[in-house]
Amino acid sequence: MRNVFLMSFIALSLCACIAVGAATLGAVTYYKSAKHEVATVNINATPDNIYRVALQTIKRNSLLKVVSQDEKNHLIELTKGDLSASLKVFRVDPQVSQLLITSEINADRSTRLVLDGVFRICQQLKVDCTLVVDGS
């Protein structure tokens, strides 16, 4: 299962990087399927800074557990109960980075793990982030 989750994370990461040019700073894009949820946002900050703030934010939440962290690649794997999530920060250009959070969804209950995570990190970075709602 970890390999499937990792593969979907990589595929979504590549798609997110391709679409970066059209994204607006602070605009949170959210996608939810039957098994996963994904949120991305472009932030005017370095990957190192976003990663550091994300790690601090995660560690302050007693419901979250860091499973692994890779500072060099700006990647954090974590759990919330029986749910698994991954956080990755990409450099878009010298001034902008993209935060990507993916999570499994437990069929028994709804979760907002990735959206809550994105907005908490934006708040800690003092960045105004807004959920983009698709009109379709």
Side-chain angles (χ1 to χ4, degrees), residues 36-55:
H36 294 92
E37 64 176 335
V38 179
T40 64
V41 63
N42 287 356
I43 300 172
N44 190 13
T46 65
D48 289 338
N49 191 36
I50 296 171
Y51 176 85
R52 180 184 49 78
V53 169
L55 189 58

Side-chain angles (χ1 to χ4, degrees), residues 31-130:
Y31 171 78
K32 183 176 179 180
S33 72
K35 296 183 180 185
H36 294 92
E37 64 176 335
V38 179
T40 64
V41 63
N42 287 356
I43 300 172
N44 190 13
T46 65
D48 289 338
N49 191 36
I50 296 171
Y51 176 85
R52 180 184 49 78
V53 169
L55 189 58
Q56 290 171 350
T57 302
I58 292 165
K59 287 184 174 183
R60 279 195 293 256
N61 186 333
S62 63
L63 299 176
L64 302 176
K65 178 184 174 194
V66 174
V67 175
S68 68
Q69 60 190 70
D70 181 345
E71 185 174 355
K72 179 181 176 189
N73 292 304
H74 304 109
L75 176 64
I76 303 169
E77 293 185 29
L78 61 137
T79 59
K80 179 179 182 183
D82 60 346
L83 298 175
S84 297
S86 294
L87 178 148
K88 174 83 172 124
V89 184
F90 301 92
R91 178 176 301 280
V92 174
D93 67 34
Q95 290 83 31
V96 177
S97 300
Q98 183 177 72
L99 171 63
L100 169 71
I101 303 177
T102 65
S103 175
E104 297 175 314
I105 293 178
N106 185 327
D108 297 336
R109 64 182 187 275
S110 176
T111 181
R112 287 181 42 112
L113 181 62
V114 301
L115 276 179
D116 289 346
V118 165
F119 286 115
R120 278 194 184 113
I121 293 166
C122 285
Q123 181 182 23
Q124 293 298 317
L125 288 166
K126 297 179 179 20
V127 173
D128 185 28
C129 292
T130 306

